[in-house]
Amino acid sequence: MRARRSKNENFQWRFVILKIFFLCVGAAIIGRLFSLQILDHQKYAAAADRQQGVSLTLTAKRGMMYFQDKDGNRKIAALNKEWPAVAVIPKSVKEPETVSLELSSALNISKESIDALLAKTTDPFEIVARKIDPQKAEAIDSKKLSGVQVFSEFRRFYPGGSLASQALGFINFEKDIETGQYGLERFYNAELSGEAGILSSTKDAKGTLLYLGRKILKPQENGAGVILTIDPNIQKKSEEEIKKLVKKWDAESASFLVMDPLTGKILALGGYPDFDPNYYSKERDISVFNNPIISSQYELGSIMKPVTMAAGINEGLVNPDTTYTDTGEAIIGAFHIKNYDLQAHGVQTMTQVLEKSLNTGAMYVETLLGKETFLSYMESFGFGEKTGIQFPNDAKGNISNLSYNRDSDYATASFGQGISITPLQIAVAISAIANGGTLVQPYLVDSIEDDSGNRTIIEHPSKGQVISKETSETVTKMLVSVVENGFDNHAGIQGYFVAGKTGTAQVPYKDKRGYDPNRAIHSFVGYAPAFHPKFLMFIQLNEPRGVKFASSSITPTFHEIAKYMLSYLQIPQDIQAAPKKSTLR
């Protein structure tokens, strides 16, 4: 009996111990769960989020750019188009030599550059080529190369090809982010780019993104649209004629500008050679990316004479009929400054100074003005300062030599030599002569339109009056006479009054003082109809061969573009306006 009781007591004691053990284990588990789920919840939730959660960038769509025709109708200048692209996943490439050879051959990319990408085995994804031909992409995809991925992405596309390329610029990638390079793409990059958004999501154990639980933390803001002042029809016609001009005279290059002299609105501009922004990487000479109208500066030559004349007339020192005696040269210290033709023309009026483009006549007016007044007008017309156009590399020119107060520098500056001016600056200055005396603010962008359609008109206030309305009208009449009776008659158009002036400037030597007699820059600026102008045009031809003066090389090109403009804009003829024939110099 006692033995059986002893066994029963031992069993109960062991059961109690086991019960206590399980209660302790249970308490420990409950305590641990309490710690994990309650006390340390945020800590482990964050760890799980780091392990399973992922943040994705929501790419903003780049805003489009638009041309505008004369009626305000828009034409797309730059948009986003779906393009094939090729990438490699280096660690997944099983036959790197085969992959390298195949991609090099198909994409015309050096094998060495592809080998370098394949060597980055720690990188998950390497872009090989973007915006490739769809047929090439299909051919690569059909080969099923290990570690090679063909995919589609939206990238910048310029439907006009090279049309206005030096105004538009192009898109490049900086750390896989689309960034504007050159032109308006660069200047308005912030507005066009918009702002990327952020998307949070989760992934499973295999790394696959799950749709459940996705949440947009910050929505993307697509880029704004930029509406340009450039008329695609005027731009196209101008580019065609400028290209012909360069080829006809075997010139180094040429540039052009068409603007409204009343407002500063630019209707067309650019140069040749140009480039196709869709394939900018093919260019070897990056100078073609610059806009010569805005960023280049040169010695004007005789185009400066109307500005000097306007200053003299505005000061009441001369009028169109004022005479002086042209001896063919002016001696200033050790310098003998002569007319272009090395001839003395005797008694000449101020109108004849412009018609015959006499250097001595411009120097005569500058002498009457005096250095201080002459410099004041140069600065008032905007020379030596940036124009303020919203565009990269707005050059300011260089008239700093006038600060030395040398007589010879002022004398040559009066007819555009020894100082550097940008084409845009001289176009703005002549616009003041054309429009009644106001210095306009040139501009290329009319408005900006956000993704919701809200449009912001960009204001471009004028810079004030530089000459009187009477002076403007007087000089315009003189420039009409230049076209009708001077050397520039090929610029004339039957039925219209046209005002204009050529310039033939020598090019300085690169390695010594003086000017190279075998190199020249031809330019022409003109506006029509002269007494109620609808457009002003500037054309420059750099180092042409086989032609000596701008009156022979450029004026026919101005004539062709101006004739198109008058018809396109449906501008009625002036009464009894017909150019007279004269002999070209």
Side-chain angles (χ1 to χ4, degrees):
M1 268 312 268
R2 185 174 293 178
R4 184 180 299 173
R5 189 181 305 138
S6 179
K7 288 181 178 179
N8 192 34
E9 288 175 355
N10 288 338
F11 175 79
Q12 290 179 351
W13 177 247
R14 290 174 183 173
F15 179 75
V16 169
I17 292 174
L18 186 63
K19 190 174 182 181
I20 292 171
F21 172 77
F22 280 113
L23 286 173
C24 290
V25 170
I29 292 173
I30 292 171
R32 182 59 176 162
L33 289 174
F34 179 80
S35 175
L36 291 173
Q37 296 179 353
I38 306 299
L39 300 179
D40 295 328
H41 169 73
Q42 291 184 345
K43 173 184 174 182
Y44 288 101
D49 187 56
R50 286 195 299 271
Q51 184 176 3
Q52 295 181 308
V54 62
S55 293
L56 302 174
T57 298
L58 298 174
T59 304
K61 292 181 180 179
R62 193 172 183 85
M64 297 168 68
M65 290 199 284
Y66 302 89
F67 298 128
Q68 287 189 96
D69 69 11
K70 63 184 179 68
D71 298 315
N73 299 313
R74 297 180 185 179
K75 181 178 180 180
I76 296 174
L79 54 84
N80 305 304
K81 178 182 175 182
E82 191 172 12
W83 289 86
V86 175
V88 291
I89 305 170
K91 66 179 182 180
S92 300
V93 176
K94 297 177 180 179
E95 300 176 347
E97 186 67 17
T98 300
V99 168
S100 181
L101 288 171
E102 289 284 358
L103 294 182
S104 175
S105 175
L107 298 172
N108 195 27
I109 298 174
S110 71
K111 182 177 180 299
E112 290 74 19
S113 62
I114 296 175
D115 287 339
L117 295 177
L118 296 179
K120 299 178 180 181
T121 54
T122 58
D123 290 351
F125 196 76
E126 287 291 334
I127 301 291
V128 178
R130 284 185 157 103
K131 295 175 70 172
I132 65 175
D133 182 89
Q135 292 182 340
K136 288 184 178 180
E138 187 176 346
I140 293 170
D141 195 37
S142 67
K143 294 180 183 296
K144 305 299 180 184
L145 299 169
S146 64
V148 176
Q149 185 174 345
V150 178
F151 62 100
S152 294
E153 59 180 358
F154 282 91
R155 291 294 174 244
R156 207 58 158 172
F157 178 64
Y158 304 88
S162 62
L163 187 71
S165 59
Q166 292 172 337
L168 298 176
F170 57 87
I171 292 299
N172 197 359
F173 283 87
E174 293 182 0
K175 297 180 180 180
D176 283 336
I177 298 176
E178 283 189 326
T179 305
Q181 303 289 323
Y182 295 89
L184 295 168
E185 289 277 26
R186 174 183 165 188
F187 193 91
Y188 287 95
N189 186 64
E191 291 82 353
L192 289 164
S193 296
E195 292 188 20
I198 301 174
L199 170 72
S200 68
S201 184
T202 56
K203 57 185 178 181
D204 61 18
K206 295 181 180 180
T208 303
L209 291 176
L210 302 175
Y211 283 92
L212 186 64
R214 288 191 172 192
K215 182 171 66 173
I216 295 178
L217 301 180
K218 176 187 174 184
Q220 77 268 39
E221 295 181 15
N222 292 329
V226 175
I227 295 88
L228 313 183
T229 60
I230 293 175
D231 186 310
N233 302 304
I234 300 173
Q235 182 76 30
K236 185 173 185 292
K237 175 64 175 177
S238 300
E239 288 186 5
E240 290 172 350
E241 295 299 327
I242 291 298
K243 187 174 182 179
K244 291 178 187 177
L245 179 65
V246 170
K247 292 186 174 181
K248 178 178 180 179
W249 298 113
D250 191 23
E252 293 294 319
S253 61
S255 57
F256 67 92
L257 167 71
V258 182
M259 66 184 289
D260 182 342
L262 303 182
T263 64
K265 178 180 180 180
I266 294 175
L267 304 174
L269 84 167
Y272 183 82
D274 54 11
F275 69 101
D276 186 338
N278 294 308
Y279 307 101
Y280 68 88
S281 60
K282 294 182 178 180
E283 295 296 334
R284 294 295 173 261
D285 181 7
I286 64 171
S287 67
V288 299
F289 299 150
N290 290 315
N291 194 313
I293 291 296
I294 298 171
S295 63
S296 68
Q297 50 194 42
Y298 75 113
E299 295 189 24
L300 291 169
S302 297
I303 286 184
M304 176 60 74
K305 289 172 183 171
V307 176
T308 301
M309 193 65 68
I313 292 173
N314 203 61
E315 289 296 308
L317 300 172
V318 294
N319 62 55
D321 298 320
T322 300
T323 60
Y324 84 112
T325 301
D326 171 30
T327 61
E329 70 173 353
I331 301 174
I332 302 176
F335 297 95
H336 289 239
I337 305 173
K338 301 182 179 183
N339 289 322
Y340 80 92
D341 59 2
L342 307 180
Q343 301 296 313
H345 296 266
V347 177
Q348 297 290 305
T349 66
M350 293 300 103
T351 298
Q352 288 173 316
V353 166
L354 295 181
E355 289 176 352
K356 298 178 182 180
S357 200
L358 301 176
N359 294 341
T360 58
M363 288 187 284
Y364 171 76
V365 176
E366 182 274 318
T367 301
L368 294 178
L369 284 164
K371 294 175 187 174
E372 184 178 348
T373 303
F374 178 77
L375 178 59
S376 176
Y377 272 97
M378 293 287 283
E379 293 172 343
S380 295
F381 273 104
F383 302 134
E385 295 294 336
K386 294 182 178 182
T387 65
I389 189 171
Q390 295 180 320
F391 197 89
N393 302 322
D394 179 17
K396 60 192 297 186
N398 188 355
I399 62 170
S400 61
N401 64 330
L402 298 182
S403 65
Y404 297 115
N405 206 36
R406 293 186 293 249
D407 293 344
S408 58
D409 289 337
Y410 277 83
T412 57
S414 71
F415 57 87
Q417 189 169 294
I419 55 175
S420 296
I421 308 297
T422 72
L424 183 58
Q425 285 175 328
I426 191 61
V428 170
I430 299 298
S431 289
I433 295 174
N435 67 23
T438 301
L439 199 71
V440 296
Q441 170 65 63
Y443 64 99
L444 273 164
V445 173
D446 177 65
S447 60
I448 295 177
E449 195 169 273
D450 67 22
D451 199 36
S452 300
N454 299 312
R455 189 178 183 189
T456 301
I457 305 295
I458 299 178
E459 300 294 333
H460 305 281
S462 68
K463 300 179 181 181
Q465 200 83 4
V466 292
I467 56 175
S468 69
K469 189 174 186 295
E470 292 73 21
T471 297
S472 166
E473 293 174 350
T474 298
V475 180
T476 291
K477 290 177 183 178
M478 297 170 76
L479 293 176
V480 168
S481 184
V482 169
V483 173
E484 294 188 349
N485 303 308
F487 300 117
D488 305 338
N489 69 303
H490 273 204
I493 300 171
Q494 186 72 34
Y496 295 90
F497 289 115
V498 177
K501 183 72 185 75
T502 55
T504 303
Q506 294 176 310
V507 178
Y509 285 111
K510 295 180 180 179
D511 54 357
K512 60 181 179 179
R513 296 187 64 180
Y515 294 85
D516 189 339
N518 299 314
R519 301 168 63 211
I521 298 174
H522 293 183
S523 53
F524 180 83
V525 63
Y527 50 96
F531 302 108
H532 43 98
K534 300 300 181 183
F535 63 88
L536 176 143
M537 192 187 315
F538 168 90
I539 302 174
Q540 181 188 86
L541 183 65
N542 296 309
E543 300 188 39
R545 296 169 177 83
V547 61
K548 193 171 183 180
F549 297 111
S551 55
S552 299
S553 63
I554 291 182
T555 51
T557 299
F558 171 88
H559 173 90
E560 288 301 316
I561 300 174
K563 186 170 67 172
Y564 169 82
M565 292 277 298
L566 292 165
S567 174
Y568 172 69
L569 298 175
Q570 298 180 318
I571 300 172
Q573 289 189 348
D574 295 315
I575 298 174
Q576 296 179 345
K580 299 177 182 179
K581 294 183 179 180
S582 66
T583 304
L584 293 175
R585 64 175 177 181

